[in-house]
Amino acid sequence: ITLASNPTTGYKWRLGNEPDKKVVKFVESVFNPPEEAIPGRGGTESWSFEALKQGKARIVLEYARPWEKDKEPDKGQTFDVKVL
């Protein structure tokens, strides 16, 4: 999963829920800076998951500032995954 991201604003993507661990497993997330290095310019964040077993899982990602614990995420994305 690849999403637009700009950590210079303090925001970063996080798991909003724990997907069904029998079906998929979180592997890693990596920030990919823009090709042209311009201060303050965003890039993308890539999230990798491993398919473990046939079934369905829901992956919820939230874009938020980690220190703002009591604030709702700025935005979110939900992905329904089906492993065949």
Side-chain angles (χ1 to χ4, degrees):
I1 298 171
T2 301
L3 301 165
S5 182
N6 190 346
T8 65
T9 63
Y11 285 93
K12 98 176 253 160
W13 289 97
R14 67 181 182 202
L15 277 173
N17 77 328
E18 193 68 41
D20 187 340
K21 291 181 181 181
K22 296 176 194 163
V23 179
V24 294
K25 176 178 82 171
F26 169 69
V27 176
E28 70 177 344
S29 67
V30 177
F31 176 71
N32 310 298
E35 288 184 24
E36 190 176 347
I38 298 173
R41 188 174 194 183
T44 60
E45 198 169 326
S46 298
W47 285 68
S48 299
F49 296 85
E50 180 181 353
L52 300 175
K53 181 181 165 185
Q54 186 175 2
K56 295 179 182 179
R58 175 169 280 176
I59 298 169
V60 177
L61 296 174
E62 300 173 337
Y63 197 58
R65 290 180 172 137
W67 64 87
E68 295 180 336
K69 303 286 186 210
D70 297 329
K71 187 178 176 197
E72 288 292 315
D74 188 56
K75 57 185 166 183
Q77 292 283 326
T78 300
F79 302 89
D80 290 317
V81 178
K82 184 176 183 180
V83 178
L84 304 174

